Amino acid sequence: MRRKYICGNWKMNKTSSGALAFANKINDFKFENVDVLIAPSFVSLESFTKSVKDKIEVAAQNVSEFEDGAFTGEVSTNMLKDIGVRNVIIGHSERREKFSESDEIVNAKIKRALSHNLSVILCLGESLEIKEENKELDFVKNELLNSLSGVENLKNITLAYEPIWAIGTGKTCSSEDAENMCREIREIINKNYGEISKKIRILYGGSVKPSNAKEILAKENIDGVLVGGASLDVKDFIEIIKCGENL
């Protein structure tokens, strides 16, 4: 059985003091049967990592493809590791669309992260235009394989399917459609990487909230959720964790 993975991506929200308040509240909540991860902003990473209990993993929302040096505004793998961060989200659609991150850039970031023993959550997902043309499977397949080009070992990779049209819009991909895509992604991994397809965790993201999390998490090929807006409210996020705990 793949252990459920409940991940929160705060995006550009919460100050460091707000992150600390969140940590103080979630530290009192006990869970046993799921893994939990939270990705705060860069400015909150170090203080949040020190404040939240060890059982909760912490991730950066991005990382540079470069090692060190004259790259103003970038954050390196060494900087993350030095403050105790061991996970990173790469390839989120907002990075791809708003900051022009191509599959090639995403691929370089993944290789850099893996070479420094960071665990990666790789995001995938199609736009509404692609979906309306019924080309979403081909798009996601190409995005996946291009992003993983030259990557031979997927042991430290989690995949997150996030249809762009469902992120922050209130529109949720039906649990059936989400399951179908996650199953297809697993099959692509099986064809290209073999047995690891049975172990790799595939998350769903896109307007996940307490009211729909249980239905989504109950699907065979959905091993967790990547939560945006609902992860900002500690009560809502705890309710989503409970949905995974109670399956």
Side-chain angles (χ1 to χ4, degrees), residues 135-151:
K135 296 179 179 179
E136 61 266 36
L137 180 56
D138 286 341
F139 179 88
V140 171
K141 178 181 179 180
N142 289 333
E143 192 172 55
L144 171 62
L145 296 180
N146 289 339
S147 297
L148 292 178
S149 178
V151 177

Side-chain angles (χ1 to χ4, degrees), residues 2 9 26 56 122 160 162 169 185 232 235:
R2 295 178 296 270
N9 176 18
I26 202 166
I56 295 176
L122 168 61
E162 292 194 301
T169 63
I185 291 171
L232 297 173
K235 292 181 180 179

